[in-house]
Every structure is written in C-alpha cells, then in structure tokens.
Amino acid sequence: MSPASQETAGAGRTPGPARPRVPLVSLLAALVAASAVLLGGAGGAEAAGYRYWSFWQGNGTTWEYATQGPSLLRPDDGTVQGFRFAVSEDSGDASQPRRAPDFGAICADTPAKDGSKRVALVIDAGTAADAPDGEEPPALRTACARVAPDASSAEALAAVAKPLRYDSSAMLCAISGYPKSGCGEQVSGDSGSAEPSAPAKTPGDRAGGGEGDGGGPSVGLVVGIGAVLLLGVAAVVQARRRR
C-alpha cells in the first residue's frame, strides 16, 4: 500500500486517545537512583564496627579525637589524654571518655616538679555492651602520670596503667590487661559478634582499630553500572529515531 492509499484508508477513522509515553531513559534513571538509595540503606543496616581503644585529647571542657597515635604524640605538662574502649565504625561515631578532661581535678594531688611533666589520663573501658564475650569492663578511672619532659602519651599511659598489650604492628590492644584478647577486631553490626578480620590502620588514626568496609557491592559500583546502561539505552533510542 502506497503512502497515499494509507492516508485515504485512515482518513475516515477517529483517532483514539493519545497514550502517555514515559521516556525509557528517564524511567531507567529513576530505577537506578532508587536502587542506589535502597542499597545505601541496606549497607547502613549491615554496617560493621570495630572494637578498640580510641585515643582523645582534652581541649578545655571537651574531648577531641587525637590526630596522632599515643606513641607519636608528646603532650605538654598540664594536658589531659583520654582512652575509651568501645565499638564504632570510625572516628566520626567513636565514643568519647565519659569523664570531663579536668586536669586540675585529676592532678590536684600531684604538684609540679622540675625535670618532669604531669599528664592527666582518663581511662574509660566502656560498657558491658561493648565488652568481648565473657569479659566485664573495669570501672572508669583517672590517673596523673609524672613522666620525663619528652615522654610520649604511650609512656605516660604505661606509667599508670600497666600491663599494656600491643600487636605486632605496635597497635594498642589492651590497657591494664583489658581486654584479655583481641585487637581492633571487626564486630558484626547485626549480632555484635567478632569477625576474624582486623581493620586496616590509618596513620595517626587511633590507639587501636581502624576503618573497615562492609560486604557486598558498593553503592558507587551500582550507580556506575547504571550510568553505563543509561548510555547504552540512549544510544539505541537515538539510533531508532534516526531511522
């Protein structure tokens, strides 16, 4: 049938209602975005943390997460250092020591002395919820360490809280013997049980532990795959329009 015949054959027909059309590319883009959101939520629900001693510095009446490890930092006389044992994903959600960094109160009975410095320490072993199976966290305590002027925070801690335990990479694992075992182990976000893998340590990050990644594909990977699909579909649609 020629084009003219088609026009004649269709001249007497009543056009039907127009059907709404949803661009395929836009629809696929929405699906990819929704998948990324859903996967992001699922990743948060399954996020794992690490059980470790975090290291803090007193700043007036507040705590700041230390940017150097205790073996590297050499505090001045009159400073306050804090150690907190807990389960957390990274420095952003790490639990602070539950005692204010008050040098005057902690070192009130330790006067200044030539040839030494005083470092106030808050040692918080955390709660039973963060403790390894079968262990009970010792009570929070404070101590005033008198050490040599060039002593590190780790040396100040050793002066008042032995025995300390370190792993083969010099990561602080236990203070005053707590915990008895383990060192920055990964803890399941669902069950609270320890995983055998250990976190990767970052320079100057913490007294123990590190940041880890949860299992499964990342959201970035899924979005990247979706972008490739979008480009492929767009090319097909464009090719059809040119015919």
Side-chain angles (χ1 to χ4, degrees):
M1 182 181 294
S2 66
S5 301
Q6 289 179 340
E7 291 178 3
T8 303
R13 297 178 184 175
T14 302
R19 296 181 180 179
R21 304 168 97 183
V22 178
L24 182 59
V25 175
S26 299
L27 178 59
L28 187 55
L31 290 175
V32 171
S35 299
V37 171
L38 291 175
L39 286 173
E46 298 174 0
Y50 297 93
R51 182 182 286 127
Y52 65 95
W53 281 99
S54 58
F55 179 43
W56 302 79
Q57 293 180 272
N59 181 16
T61 59
T62 62
W63 290 106
E64 292 182 352
Y65 202 89
T67 57
Q68 290 182 296
S71 62
L72 298 177
L73 185 64
R74 299 186 182 280
D76 295 327
D77 178 78
T79 57
V80 187
Q81 314 275 274
F83 294 85
R84 172 67 190 269
F85 188 77
V87 174
S88 61
E89 293 182 45
D90 51 40
S91 60
D93 73 340
S95 299
Q96 298 182 4
R98 296 170 295 170
R99 171 74 181 267
D102 189 341
F103 177 84
I106 298 172
C107 289
D109 298 329
T110 307
K113 184 178 179 180
D114 291 340
S116 66
K117 66 181 177 183
R118 298 164 299 163
V119 179
L121 297 168
V122 176
I123 304 170
D124 186 352
T127 66
D130 292 327
D133 292 341
E135 295 200 53
E136 185 71 22
L140 182 154
R141 71 187 185 95
T142 62
C144 187
R146 188 193 296 277
V147 291
D150 62 346
S152 66
S153 298
E155 291 172 319
L157 180 66
V160 298
K162 290 182 178 179
L164 304 180
R165 177 166 56 85
Y166 292 87
D167 70 359
S168 58
S169 61
M171 175 179 170
L172 179 60
C173 304
I175 297 177
S176 298
Y178 180 81
K180 296 178 182 178
S181 62
C183 193
E185 66 271 18
Q186 187 178 38
V187 178
S188 169
D190 296 329
S191 63
S193 60
E195 300 285 346
S197 59
K201 289 177 281 296
T202 55
D205 184 24
R206 61 197 63 178
E211 297 181 17
D213 297 324
S218 67
V219 175
L221 177 61
V222 174
V223 173
I225 292 174
V228 173
L229 290 175
L230 282 175
L231 291 174
V233 172
V236 172
V237 172
Q238 186 67 21
R240 289 180 177 177
R241 286 179 177 176
R242 291 176 178 175
R243 292 178 182 177

